[in-house]
Amino acid sequence: EIASSRIASTQLSEGVTLRVIAGSLEGLTGVAQTYSPVLLADVVMERLKSHVFTLPDGNVGLVYVLHGQVRLNGHETVN
């Protein structure tokens, strides 16, 4: 178990907050130890806010939307 206070967090822009639990993204590195390379991040975005995240070549991304919808790659909408 990882205490919330140990999770790296930053506000990327107005209305966009990033927490990195494992791996590295946007200059933050998570504290979780993994056996294979994994990026696990929690992003909270206010309505109508945007941010571009870029994954390294060869990585596969998974987006799980809890509330609202997200546009991916400029055209795919996920609810």
Side-chain angles (χ1 to χ4, degrees), residues 16-79:
V16 181
T17 303
L18 168 68
R19 297 181 340 131
V20 177
I21 295 96
S24 295
L25 182 65
E26 300 284 331
L28 294 180
T29 300
V31 296
Q33 300 294 316
T34 62
Y35 294 100
S36 59
V38 172
L39 167 61
L40 177 59
D42 175 34
V43 179
V44 176
M45 300 178 82
E46 293 177 7
R47 188 172 188 264
L48 302 177
K49 299 297 181 179
S50 66
H51 189 81
V52 175
F53 294 96
T54 303
L55 296 177
D57 287 341
N59 280 238
V60 175
L62 169 72
V63 175
Y64 187 85
V65 180
L66 294 177
H67 303 283
Q69 55 185 221
V70 176
R71 179 172 293 153
L72 301 174
N73 297 325
H75 57 82
E76 298 176 49
T77 300
V78 178
N79 295 316

Side-chain angles (χ1 to χ4, degrees), residues 1-9 19-21 30-32:
E1 185 174 318
I2 299 172
S4 181
S5 62
R6 293 187 55 217
I7 297 174
S9 178
R19 297 181 340 131
V20 177
I21 295 96
V31 296

